[in-house]
Amino acid sequence: MRIKDGQQSSSNAFLSPQWGGIMICNLQQTALTNSTRPQWIEVDMNPVMNTFLAQLKLLLGVMPVKLVDGVEVRFPKDVGITQWEQESVMRQKTMEYLATSTITLTSLAQLLGKISNMVINDHIQQQVQQALHAVHQSVTALEHGNLTVAVLTAKTAIKSSEEAFFDPSILELLYFPDDQKYAIYIPLFLPISLPVLLSLRQAIIWYRGKDDEDRKDEKKDKQE
């Protein structure tokens, strides 16, 4: 089996992003092809492992080196991933975590601005503060070149921000907006409020009538 996309693939392999890589290894036919007995087959693993390492680097986000004219890059032998490739992956993951946590916190702030009656619990506030503190720590570590601290604090930031955004108390208010509250409470309180309002109206009329009678009595007393 051969993979062809315009022209035949040299590695006979392809990559499925965020899933993995597949390589088709065609074995050489032996003289005992029709035999039902087990056969000993030897596979050269060097090209297989080279393809595996190339696919692994692409899945991890390690970008290939773009050579410039007159510049030669020499890699150490028998090394799967070099140190600068590890640092490149750590920088990329740090930026990805920081971007995701920042977007999550911004979305949470916008959500709180739209829903005025949303109650924020103390533990949500602590998670937001922890996420902001971790973001500042990660940015500071990146500026000083400490990639290990940067990626770990960025991971803490994305974890805290997502826990705050997807807190069950916030999700309950999202699925219970104001219009549904009115639809539930109005039929409940309207029958109770009508007798109270009518009684209040009668009390106001009675008070005004009594006040008029008192004034008339005062006028009579003055005339006498």
Side-chain angles (χ1 to χ4, degrees), residues 159-198:
K159 180 180 178 181
S160 300
S161 61
E162 289 185 349
E163 287 180 354
F165 186 81
F166 294 105
D167 191 84
S169 61
I170 294 181
L171 294 178
E172 290 175 358
L173 293 176
L174 289 179
Y175 291 102
F176 195 52
D178 292 337
D179 54 352
Q180 293 186 5
K181 292 181 181 179
Y182 296 145
I184 292 175
Y185 290 128
I186 287 178
L188 178 63
F189 289 103
L190 187 59
I192 301 175
S193 59
L194 286 177
V196 176
L197 294 175
L198 292 175

Side-chain angles (χ1 to χ4, degrees), residues 16-34:
S16 178
Q18 298 182 356
W19 286 94
I22 296 176
M23 178 180 179
I24 300 174
C25 183
N26 296 313
L27 303 177
Q28 295 181 356
Q29 295 182 352
T30 60
L32 301 176
T33 303
N34 297 327

Side-chain angles (χ1 to χ4, degrees), residues 100-116:
T100 304
S101 58
T102 303
I103 293 173
T104 304
L105 292 175
T106 304
S107 301
L108 180 59
Q110 294 175 353
L111 181 64
L112 297 179
K114 292 180 180 179
I115 303 178
S116 58

Side-chain angles (χ1 to χ4, degrees), residues 63-100:
M63 303 303 294
V65 179
K66 296 182 179 179
L67 299 179
V68 185
D69 295 339
V71 178
E72 181 180 0
V73 180
R74 294 183 179 180
F75 298 98
K77 296 181 179 180
D78 300 331
V79 176
I81 299 179
T82 60
Q83 182 178 358
W84 69 268
E85 288 176 332
Q86 295 178 6
E87 294 178 353
S88 176
V89 173
M90 293 174 68
R91 286 192 183 93
Q92 183 178 358
K93 289 298 181 182
T94 301
M95 298 304 296
E96 180 181 347
Y97 292 156
L98 289 177
T100 304

